[in-house]
Amino acid sequence: MGLLERKQKTFYRKTKKGNIIKIVREHYIRDDIWCGLDGCGSCEMEDAILEVQNTSDSTLVPQPHHLMIDTNVALHQIDVLCDDSITDVIIPQTVIQEVKHRSLPIYKRLRDLIESSTKRFYVFSNEHHSECYVEQEAKETLNDRNDRAIRIACWWYSQHFKPAKQSVVLITNDFANCMKARTLELKAFTMKEYVASLKSSPGLLDLVANLDKDENEELIQRACIYPPHLGTADINQGVKRGKLHHGVLKTSRNNFLEANVLAEGFTKSILIQGRQNLNRALHDDLVAIELLPEEEWSTPSTVVIDKEKQEEEKEGDSEDEGDDENTLTEEQKLLASGRGKGERQPTARVVGIMKRKWRQYCGIIKKNEITESIRHLFIPADKKIPFIRIETRQPDLLYDKRIIVAIDSWPRDSKNPKGHFVRVIGNIGDKDAENEVILLEHDCPHTKFSESVLNCLPKLPWIITEKDEAEREDLRHLDVCSVDPVGCTDIDDALHCRKLPNGNYEVGVHIADVSHFIRPLTALDKEAQNRSTTVYLTNRRIDMVPDLLSSNLCSLRGNVDRFAFSVIWEITPKAEVQSSRFCKAIIKSRGELTYQQAQARIDDSTMQDDLTNSLRNLNKLAKTLKTKRIDAGALVLASMEVKFHMDPDTDTVVDIVAKQHLETMSMVEEFMLLANVTAAETTLQHFPDCALLRRHPAPPQSNFEPLLAAANSQNITLDVTSNKTLAESLNVATRDNNPFFNSMLRIMTTRCMMQALYFCSGTLEPPEYNHYGLATPTYTHFTSPIRRYADIIVHRLLAVIIEADRTYPELLDSKKLADLSQHINYRHKMAQYAGRGSAEITAIASLRGKVTEFDSYVLFLHKNAIQVLVPTIGQQVTLFLDKRTQKRDDKKKAKKKSPEAMEVDEEITPTFEFNDKELYVKCDDLVLRPFDHLRIQVSVDASDVQHQRVVCQLVHPVIPGFSVPSVSQDTQEPKLKKIKT
């Protein structure tokens, strides 16, 4: 018993360079592969997975049975399989292999189900089973061969289970596969048929994916909204001939009917406008596009159409699609009305989808006026995603809930994609539910750390051993201290400074030695790598590593011994670095100071202790270092950051304060920058092909066009030739009558920047290493390993350099490091977006139920709206100018007061003239330009629970028929969100 036969499988593969290689693999056939059923008398097995079934919940299959699934079910019905009611499932090896090849995310979810002890999903190695292995026949496609292999495996189980009085049901959504299985006298059903037959799980039917076929005869007979997509072969041929182009589609933030595609060979992005030209492509899809004739090229729309989408949410019929033609006509008119007069740019239409980026979406369902209907509109939280049609038989349980929905298909005759319900997140407005929506929408891992991860942590009480002391440099005699924001518990860094006999200074930056606790390739390391960064929400922190490390053993707390990775320099009084070295050390911080406490020490001339003098010397050197950086061309930019002070009991905002800028903040920043630059130079010197660095590409000139236009409108000239000339221009750009002018200019400059990216040094040429914003040729991150995985990799490289640790293959593999860099870049970007989203909803919550006035400044101008910046709350809001919007808002307010007040609709509203060349909005004699000061009145329209909207109205300057009177009591409270428009 055992190995029966050894076969050779031969196939050919084409390499990226076009070469054809022959691959030969050995394939073993055995007769001792067990079935996995507990109590099976025929198989000798170690650990049985499947339990004997005594009853059946299905009206279709009344006999006790187990399920076997095919690849189609695994790929498209994974949400049903994840439900607790689905257990004891047999997954043929053929299915596992196909799923892994076709969808890695689904494969990972399937592996989680297999590893769950409660689900009892058993993988049957049919590809190595002597009675189940099948060869591919002549003229048989690989897909047909795999379907046949699954049917043979199901037939074998049906025979094998007879003595145990168990049966097997094949679940397949492939009609042909189902019919062929029935010819073998197998029980075979679609997932929908089987789930509908379950007596105790009626709600499970909502999870079944709706898989409409896009191209069939029935569809051709119906009126189609969208043109058909080209097949893969046609797309590849079109791209090869230059008739088609491809790229990732990015939907506009201001206009859900407009998108851009950056394609190879084009200096500017290609414009896609209109529902039919978008042709069912979603944000982030990889699409194939065809350029329109040059006479049909267009300009980006100058109108904000997000507001119209909100009206569709409130007034659209969840059932009737008969008015689709009227809707398309109205959308085209709306786009045409906002067409700018500037230079036209290449415009195209989507002709095919090369790769979908569909994911699970958070949102709510719109209440259907037809109570008995099972069809509903799902409104995603992400406004770049269209509404999704779902079927549910439990709508009353889902109203007022945040839910998750997955897209199944988007037929040509449907204005919206079709999907299915996945699960409930929680009640709308609930703190935990709203946080989870933010984290899910931005793909931020936030589940509890698994047992395997926690098992990697050191046992308590943790102590420093004699071996540790022998292997590390003892720096506990130095006056080291940390300087951080109030309430910081994950203390990454500490500093010291002491004067040397030769008049120079010894300066040390001491970083938490996280890599000592997180060993390569462990479960803890893999989890930290997957998360890649700590995520900071306004009322919650999602750590990259477990709390025992982040807030305890790795945190450089005061008056306790801690492991550190230190960089120590000798620096002259003129801040010139004479030497530097890295070492693994033991430190004992003299105090965990806040920025305010450290500043108070420096400013208090009566304090002359060693720690305070150390801080003064650090501050003095930091000022010189900053001056040198700025002289070299480093940019000093600005953001809209504010800090929310929350009540810990009620989780409500009690105060919003602008971020305070102290010298101690700059002091810490300068030495962290110096440490990062030193780490970059050191790792690059020793590992020129596999150093993990961070670059900041210079923005293309086109990125500066909005900034230059806005500056020119105020007669300000900016030189964007280089980072140095830009920095010099910003330094002299001021307005005496507008103290916030320079900050606004720097905020707009920040928006012109490219994203800073991690990369592997072996994948780019040295000139591309440059960091534009910091004006340094090489840079990396070394100083925050508790919250950034990139820093851990840099620590490991440095540990190898100083011979404090050993390397491992993955650390020096430039390809794997390049892939890791992309993953970290993605996680870092999503964490930033999540933080902003959290600040946005917190600001909205602070404004709810009140009318508040703020000083604001014009940021961007559109034909029907002005986007303004409100420094008090650090948010961007939109003041709509179009008459319909103003009437609707006035109508809502008037309706609450009295029916007579409805006459506001008959008022004559002013006319606004938008000039997109000279960049101004004019109403009679009043002209508004970028950076102009406005006094606005803000409230929250909570009628739309999905996208709670900030209603922004003008107080000053006064425009008769448009402005509103000032409120009697000006509440200086937090304001709203960057309303997505």
Side-chain angles (χ1 to χ4, degrees):
M1 298 291 288
L3 179 64
L4 291 182
E5 187 180 357
R6 183 175 66 182
K7 295 177 177 288
Q8 283 192 341
K9 298 178 72 174
T10 304
F11 56 96
Y12 298 88
R13 179 174 294 171
K14 189 174 183 180
T15 66
K16 291 182 178 179
K17 294 183 178 180
N19 299 323
I20 305 295
I21 59 174
K22 180 180 179 181
I23 299 176
V24 179
R25 289 181 180 166
E26 291 186 339
H27 192 82
Y28 298 94
I29 305 300
R30 307 182 65 91
D31 63 356
D32 57 355
I33 295 175
W34 52 72
C35 66
L37 179 66
D38 187 18
C40 176
S42 305
C43 298
E44 297 180 5
M45 64 190 86
E46 297 174 0
D47 296 308
I49 303 295
L50 304 171
E51 290 185 355
V52 173
Q53 303 297 301
N54 297 314
T55 60
S56 171
D57 190 43
S58 171
T59 56
L60 273 178
V61 191
Q63 304 88 0
H65 61 274
H66 295 76
L67 301 180
M68 178 178 288
I69 61 173
D70 71 356
T71 306
N72 185 284
V73 168
L75 287 170
H76 301 293
Q77 307 292 351
I78 187 68
D79 294 317
V80 179
L81 297 176
C82 289
D83 190 84
D84 292 340
S85 62
I86 303 297
T87 60
D88 295 281
V89 176
I90 302 164
I91 308 177
Q93 181 187 356
T94 306
V95 172
I96 289 288
Q97 291 173 345
E98 279 196 286
V99 170
K100 185 177 181 179
H101 176 70
R102 293 172 60 179
S103 174
L104 197 56
I106 298 295
Y107 173 74
K108 290 179 179 178
R109 292 181 69 184
L110 201 57
R111 293 303 313 181
D112 289 340
L113 293 176
I114 293 166
E115 293 170 8
S116 170
S117 58
T118 58
K119 295 290 289 180
R120 301 188 297 280
F121 277 41
Y122 176 65
V123 178
F124 175 57
S125 299
N126 65 306
E127 294 290 349
H128 298 280
H129 196 283
S130 58
E131 296 182 50
C132 297
Y133 174 75
V134 296
E135 295 276 5
Q136 186 173 354
E137 296 176 351
K139 296 184 180 181
E140 184 181 39
T141 67
L142 181 60
N143 183 66
D144 288 343
R145 179 265 170 201
N146 289 340
D147 286 345
R148 184 162 57 90
I150 294 168
R151 294 194 298 273
I152 294 297
C154 188
W155 179 87
W156 181 85
Y157 262 99
S158 67
Q159 302 302 311
H160 187 77
F161 274 6
K162 281 182 179 179
K165 297 182 179 179
Q166 304 287 295
S167 62
V168 177
V169 176
L170 177 63
I171 305 297
T172 174
N173 287 333
D174 186 323
F175 179 77
N177 195 27
C178 189
M179 291 299 100
K180 289 177 181 179
R182 289 174 181 174
T183 61
L184 295 175
E185 298 183 352
L186 297 175
K187 297 181 179 69
F189 304 99
T190 66
M191 179 61 85
K192 189 169 186 177
E193 289 172 336
Y194 180 77
V195 168
S197 75
L198 299 179
K199 294 175 287 187
S200 61
S201 303
L204 191 59
L205 201 56
D206 289 352
L207 275 65
V208 177
N210 184 6
L211 301 173
D212 284 0
K213 294 294 183 183
D214 191 22
E215 308 293 341
N216 55 47
E217 292 183 6
E218 180 185 354
L219 182 61
I220 293 173
Q221 301 303 318
R222 291 184 281 182
C224 296
I225 301 171
Y226 302 101
H229 288 149
L230 296 180
T232 303
D234 292 332
I235 290 174
N236 292 337
Q237 191 175 27
V239 170
K240 190 174 182 179
R241 292 180 176 179
K243 292 183 177 181
L244 302 180
H245 307 274
H246 61 87
V248 176
L249 183 131
K250 298 291 184 182
T251 305
S252 169
R253 294 179 181 179
N254 297 329
N255 185 342
F256 77 104
L257 294 174
E258 185 172 278
N260 288 275
V261 174
L262 189 60
E264 186 177 350
F266 291 83
T267 55
K268 285 189 175 182
S269 59
I270 299 172
L271 188 64
I272 315 287
Q273 284 185 330
R275 189 183 292 270
Q276 289 176 309
N277 284 340
L278 286 168
N279 196 8
R280 297 168 286 160
L282 294 188
H283 181 71
D284 278 342
D285 282 351
L286 179 62
V287 298
I289 58 175
E290 179 182 44
L291 284 177
L292 297 177
E294 193 166 344
E295 59 270 17
E296 296 182 30
W297 287 6
S298 182
T299 57
S301 177
T302 58
V303 297
V304 176
I305 308 186
D306 178 65
K307 187 70 177 292
E308 304 304 320
K309 185 180 177 186
Q310 291 185 5
E311 287 304 305
E312 183 183 348
E313 290 176 12
K314 297 171 186 175
E315 299 172 7
D317 190 335
S318 65
E319 292 277 354
D320 185 17
E321 292 188 4
D323 61 347
D324 286 344
E325 187 174 342
N326 293 334
T327 300
L328 293 173
T329 303
E330 288 298 317
E331 289 174 352
Q332 290 301 326
K333 288 181 180 178
L334 195 57
L335 280 170
S337 70
R339 201 153 284 158
K341 299 178 181 179
E343 181 183 354
R344 293 188 303 173
Q345 68 183 71
T347 307
R349 63 186 182 97
V350 174
V351 296
I353 310 294
M354 301 176 72
K355 186 177 181 181
R356 285 288 193 189
K357 284 288 285 186
W358 289 352
R359 57 179 174 84
Q360 293 185 340
Y361 301 98
C362 303
I364 63 172
I365 62 170
K366 184 179 184 294
K367 194 164 186 177
N368 196 327
E369 299 300 326
I370 306 173
T371 55
E372 64 273 14
S373 174
I374 64 171
R375 299 181 65 199
H376 294 75
L377 265 185
F378 170 80
I379 306 171
D382 186 346
K383 294 185 182 181
K384 294 190 287 292
I385 304 302
F387 311 135
I388 303 168
R389 294 188 178 276
I390 67 169
E391 294 183 1
T392 177
R393 294 145 190 84
Q394 49 181 350
D396 292 339
L397 301 178
L398 302 183
Y399 292 144
D400 301 323
K401 296 284 195 300
R402 297 285 186 193
I403 66 172
I404 294 177
V405 160
I407 294 178
D408 302 323
S409 63
W410 195 341
R412 288 174 54 203
D413 67 327
S414 175
K415 188 171 66 176
N416 302 100
K418 297 183 178 181
H420 67 274
F421 163 76
V422 177
R423 69 178 176 91
V424 172
I425 298 173
N427 293 326
I428 293 173
D430 177 74
K431 175 190 68 174
D432 293 334
E434 298 299 339
N435 277 339
E436 188 171 357
V437 168
I438 289 175
L439 295 169
L440 288 170
E441 281 295 299
H442 296 96
D443 195 17
C444 297
H446 58 283
T447 54
K448 292 182 179 179
F449 291 101
S450 66
E451 285 297 322
S452 60
V453 170
L454 297 177
N455 289 337
C456 297
L457 297 175
K459 306 303 178 185
L460 295 179
W462 177 80
I463 59 172
I464 296 176
T465 65
E466 291 183 1
K467 182 175 181 291
D468 294 328
E469 292 178 336
E471 294 174 347
R472 292 176 176 267
E473 193 167 333
D474 194 339
L475 302 180
R476 285 175 283 191
H477 61 286
L478 296 176
D479 291 315
V480 175
C481 72
S482 61
V483 184
D484 290 287
V486 175
C488 179
T489 59
D490 51 344
I491 303 173
D492 285 296
D493 54 85
L495 307 96
H496 89 272
C497 179
R498 62 177 179 175
K499 201 159 189 177
L500 298 174
N502 62 2
N504 292 339
Y505 294 96
E506 177 190 88
V507 176
V509 166
H510 311 277
I511 305 302
D513 190 5
V514 182
S515 61
H516 170 82
F517 298 97
I518 302 181
R519 304 308 299 162
L521 308 181
T522 61
L524 176 57
D525 181 49
K526 291 176 182 177
E527 181 66 23
Q529 177 179 311
N530 179 46
R531 298 189 178 211
S532 289
T533 182
T534 293
V535 182
Y536 294 92
L537 307 182
T538 54
N539 56 1
R540 183 182 172 192
R541 185 182 80 198
I542 297 87
D543 287 323
M544 182 183 77
V545 298
D547 185 69
L548 179 63
L549 297 183
S550 64
S551 297
N552 190 350
L553 301 184
C554 290
S555 185
L556 304 183
R557 295 174 169 180
N559 300 311
V560 291
D561 294 345
R562 286 290 181 260
F563 287 164
F565 207 139
S566 303
V567 54
I568 299 172
W569 304 275
E570 181 180 342
I571 302 179
T572 68
K574 293 183 179 181
E576 296 170 344
V577 176
Q578 300 298 297
S579 64
S580 65
R581 66 184 181 90
F582 288 89
C583 66
K584 293 256 188 171
I586 303 174
I587 66 167
K588 186 173 185 177
S589 174
R590 299 294 187 268
E592 40 189 298
L593 306 178
T594 65
Y595 289 122
Q596 293 77 7
Q597 290 171 335
Q599 190 68 54
R601 279 176 172 265
I602 292 171
D603 296 340
D604 188 349
S605 58
T606 63
M607 298 189 70
Q608 295 297 325
D609 58 279
D610 291 341
L611 184 59
T612 302
N613 286 327
S614 173
L615 289 170
R616 289 195 182 106
N617 290 330
L618 285 168
N619 195 39
K620 180 178 66 175
L621 291 170
K623 290 178 180 178
T624 307
L625 287 171
K626 185 172 184 177
T627 301
K628 288 183 175 183
R629 271 199 319 109
I630 293 174
D631 289 344
L635 296 173
V636 179
L637 301 178
S639 67
M640 304 188 298
E641 285 184 281
V642 294
K643 186 172 181 61
F644 294 92
H645 290 170
M646 313 293 291
D647 185 318
D649 297 323
T650 62
D651 202 49
T652 56
V653 178
V654 295
D655 194 15
I656 298 181
V657 295
K659 280 207 167 182
Q660 194 178 10
H661 295 284
L662 301 173
E663 286 185 355
T664 47
M665 295 177 179
S666 182
M667 174 190 77
V668 173
E669 179 186 15
E670 289 305 317
F671 283 106
M672 296 305 112
L673 291 174
L674 181 60
N676 288 335
V677 169
T678 305
E681 293 171 346
T682 304
T683 54
L684 184 60
Q685 179 185 350
H686 289 82
F687 297 106
D689 293 328
C690 57
L692 181 64
L693 303 178
R694 186 166 174 82
R695 67 190 182 99
H696 184 209
Q701 291 299 305
S702 59
N703 278 29
F704 289 113
E705 289 176 1
L707 171 68
L708 295 176
N712 289 336
S713 72
Q714 295 288 347
N715 297 318
I716 293 290
T717 302
L718 297 178
D719 186 349
V720 297
T721 307
S722 68
N723 52 357
K724 185 173 177 62
T725 59
L726 175 58
E728 292 170 349
S729 298
L730 291 173
N731 289 338
V732 298
T734 58
R735 282 284 181 270
D736 294 337
N737 61 344
N738 187 347
F740 199 67
F741 177 79
N742 190 260
S743 295
M744 283 279 293
L745 205 57
R746 293 181 188 274
I747 288 172
M748 292 189 73
T749 304
T750 303
R751 297 188 175 197
C752 299
M753 296 295 110
M754 302 289 284
Q755 184 181 4
L757 300 167
Y758 296 104
F759 70 101
C760 174
S761 57
T763 60
L764 296 173
E765 295 299 321
E768 297 179 87
Y769 296 177
N770 185 61
H771 196 292
Y772 179 86
L774 297 175
T776 180
T778 52
Y779 190 68
T780 194
H781 276 156
F782 162 76
T783 55
S784 296
I786 291 178
R787 59 185 178 90
R788 290 190 306 234
Y789 188 77
D791 302 54
I792 293 178
I793 295 296
V794 173
H795 278 223
R796 288 173 179 170
L797 289 169
L798 289 168
V800 173
I801 292 170
I802 64 173
E803 299 182 349
D805 208 342
R806 293 177 296 179
T807 186
Y808 55 99
E810 287 78 4
L811 186 64
L812 304 182
D813 188 325
S814 58
K815 185 180 184 306
K816 289 186 177 180
L817 196 59
D819 292 341
L820 175 60
S821 300
Q822 291 185 1
H823 173 76
I824 296 174
N825 288 331
Y826 170 74
R827 288 284 192 232
H828 180 72
K829 179 176 67 174
M830 290 296 103
Q832 284 185 319
Y833 291 166
R836 293 171 193 168
S838 178
E840 183 177 306
I841 65 171
T842 303
I844 289 180
S846 70
L847 294 173
R848 198 175 294 125
K850 67 184 81 169
V851 177
T852 315
E853 288 185 8
F854 296 101
D855 289 314
S856 64
Y857 299 88
V858 176
L859 199 59
F860 300 110
L861 298 169
H862 302 278
K863 185 174 182 178
N864 66 335
I866 299 176
Q867 290 175 305
V868 299
L869 177 68
V870 187
T872 307
I873 53 165
Q875 295 292 323
Q876 176 181 315
V877 298
T878 302
L879 174 65
F880 284 95
L881 303 177
D882 79 308
K883 297 178 182 179
R884 288 178 301 154
T885 299
Q886 187 70 18
K887 284 183 180 181
R888 283 195 297 267
D889 292 341
D890 290 344
K891 183 178 178 180
K892 283 182 187 176
K893 291 184 177 180
K895 190 174 181 180
K896 293 179 181 178
K897 294 179 181 178
S898 66
E900 292 79 8
M902 296 296 290
E903 293 177 3
V904 70
D905 276 356
E906 304 304 322
E907 292 181 5
I908 299 175
T909 56
T911 301
F912 293 90
E913 175 193 344
F914 173 61
N915 189 313
D916 59 343
K917 290 186 177 180
E918 298 183 30
L919 213 58
Y920 65 76
V921 167
K922 184 178 181 181
C923 181
D924 295 330
D925 296 330
L926 178 67
V927 178
L928 296 178
R929 301 181 185 275
F931 310 107
D932 283 354
H933 171 266
L934 303 178
R935 184 73 176 172
I936 60 171
Q937 192 177 101
V938 172
S939 60
V940 175
D941 176 11
S943 60
D944 177 8
V945 294
Q946 172 68 316
H947 301 127
Q948 293 199 3
R949 187 168 61 91
V950 172
V951 178
C952 175
Q953 295 182 293
L954 183 66
V955 176
H956 184 82
V958 176
I959 299 177
F962 183 77
S963 300
V964 296
S966 176
V967 291
S968 57
Q969 294 182 344
D970 182 6
T971 323
Q972 201 69 13
E973 288 210 45
K975 179 198 156 215
L976 150 83
K977 81 177 187 177
K978 156 175 96 181
I979 198 169
K980 273 185 171 178
T981 58

